[in-house]
Amino acid sequence: MINPHLPLVFHPNYSFSFDQNHRFVMSKFANLKTYLSQQGYIRDNIHQGPIGDYKPLELVHCEDYVYQLFHNQLSTKEMRRIGLPWSKQLMARTFTAPLGTYLTANLALQHGIACHLAGGTHHAHYDFGSGYCMVNDLAYTATRLINEQKVRNILIFDLDVHQGDGTAAMLQHNPYVFTCSIHCEKNFPFRKQRSDLDIGLPIGMNDKDYLNIVKQTLNELLEQVNPDLVLYDAGVDIWQHDGLGKLDISWQGIEQRDHSVIKICQKKRVPVATVIGGGYDSDHLRLAKRHAIVVEQAAKF
């Protein structure tokens, strides 16, 4: 049964006119919202955060970095490391999305669960961007919630196929945020950072072994950390046919993963806010349907 009351967060500037052949599918955010609407998951449950600029992100990022990024003053080398061509539209969505993740987290604290139709830019570091990530919405949201004393502690549970290196590095000295990354070890980024817990998976891991690791790890962390909130990066680049994946996880495996994560959090009465993370596919509509899995599973609760 579809629950049309699940809080969803989206902003129209998440997608804009962009190179259709680029590895990063900028249309996936709008396609995701359209697909969810067609499937009946969207009624009056869409929430829209404010348009952002660089100032709020100074909370966790170097002031010079976010200023130069926003005003197109980074070097060619620095932009090449990010992997996206600068534009005003890109800056609008880049600095709006973290405010969307923050809103999602607040809605999760109110309702028990909420889903952001974007987010998971975990490769962004304190003073540089990397891997299609320019600012780190997870680090921003966690830090702001802690500073505002809305929560005592947070678990960031990152299941993107790539290690959340930026998140790990930015939060390594924050005792109130526990970072966990379960990722393919022999994959980007090739210079890993140290999360509070890293689990590197071998190339080609299948559903059964993967799901056992995810469920066991989350159960143990909820007991150990006892978080007031879980920020869940539900990256779908673990899929066996993803362009940048290297794992052998089926579509059904992703469904089971997301269902299990949300079910465990709900059973422990821990609010969970989800972000979509990474996913790469030349079939843009199929990619949107993959990203919809976490919402479909969340709606069951």
Side-chain angles (χ1 to χ4, degrees), residues 9-291:
V9 174
F10 177 80
H11 197 286
N13 76 8
Y14 287 172
S15 291
F16 58 91
S17 181
F18 194 74
D19 181 1
Q20 290 291 300
N21 296 317
H22 196 285
R23 174 83 77 170
F24 188 87
V25 181
M26 194 65 71
S27 63
K28 70 180 184 179
F29 310 102
N31 288 340
L32 171 58
K33 179 177 180 288
T34 298
Y35 174 74
L36 290 172
S37 181
Q38 291 170 345
Q39 298 302 309
Y41 289 96
I42 295 178
R43 302 276 178 86
D44 57 354
N45 54 329
I46 280 282
H47 301 257
Q48 182 174 306
I51 293 177
D53 63 18
Y54 65 93
K55 292 298 291 186
L57 274 298
E58 292 176 351
L59 176 67
V60 292
H61 284 284
C62 170
E63 293 179 12
D64 287 345
Y65 166 65
V66 290
Y67 178 89
Q68 291 171 9
L69 172 63
F70 190 78
H71 292 95
N72 194 21
Q73 295 176 4
L74 293 181
S75 69
T76 302
K77 182 178 180 181
E78 289 170 315
M79 287 304 297
R80 189 182 303 120
R81 186 171 192 174
I82 291 170
L84 297 170
W86 191 94
S87 69
K88 288 184 178 179
Q89 296 98 322
L90 180 62
M91 291 304 101
R93 67 110 29 234
T94 293
F95 287 94
T96 297
L99 305 183
T101 297
Y102 172 76
L103 174 58
T104 306
N106 277 280
L107 289 166
L109 291 172
Q110 295 173 37
H111 300 278
I113 186 168
C115 300
H116 191 192
L117 307 188
T121 48
H122 61 174
H123 297 311
H125 287 247
Y126 169 70
D127 57 359
F128 67 90
S130 175
Y132 309 139
C133 301
M134 285 161 281
V135 292
N136 195 307
D137 63 309
L138 297 169
Y140 169 77
T141 295
T143 301
R144 183 173 171 184
L145 289 173
I146 295 291
N147 288 0
E148 293 172 344
Q149 298 184 333
K150 292 184 175 179
V151 294
R152 294 167 301 167
N153 63 340
I154 290 175
L155 167 63
I156 296 179
F157 197 55
D158 190 337
L159 299 189
D160 192 283
V161 81
H162 307 108
Q163 193 214 25
D165 58 323
T167 309
M170 292 174 70
L171 296 172
Q172 62 180 325
H173 299 303
N174 190 325
Y176 305 106
V177 184
F178 191 100
T179 56
C180 172
S181 180
I182 303 178
H183 52 267
C184 181
E185 183 67 22
K186 302 295 184 182
N187 205 334
F188 180 89
F190 300 106
R191 179 180 295 177
K192 303 291 192 289
Q193 299 293 322
R194 181 175 294 179
S195 308
D196 291 304
L197 176 63
D198 284 300
I199 300 178
L201 309 175
I203 291 173
M205 175 171 273
N206 61 23
D207 288 8
K208 182 179 178 180
D209 292 338
Y210 176 74
L211 292 169
N212 284 339
I213 289 172
V214 167
K215 289 185 280 190
Q216 180 179 343
T217 302
L218 182 56
N219 272 308
E220 291 175 354
L221 287 179
L222 291 183
E223 289 294 326
Q224 173 188 337
V225 179
N226 191 26
D228 292 331
L229 174 71
V230 171
L231 293 179
Y232 173 38
D233 187 337
V236 294
D237 40 13
I238 62 167
W239 187 47
Q240 56 199 169
H241 301 302
D242 187 273
L244 298 176
K246 298 187 179 181
L247 296 183
D248 191 25
I249 309 303
S250 70
W251 194 285
Q252 294 72 27
I254 300 175
E255 292 175 335
Q256 292 172 41
R257 177 199 69 174
D258 290 348
H259 187 89
S260 295
V261 167
I262 296 166
K263 181 178 181 180
I264 290 169
C265 290
Q266 292 285 290
K267 186 176 180 181
K268 301 280 189 180
R269 298 186 179 278
V270 180
V272 56
T274 76
V275 296
I276 67 172
Y280 305 91
D281 200 325
S282 58
D283 185 331
H284 295 182
L285 294 180
R286 182 173 63 183
L287 177 59
K289 292 178 181 179
R290 248 198 295 160
H291 280 304

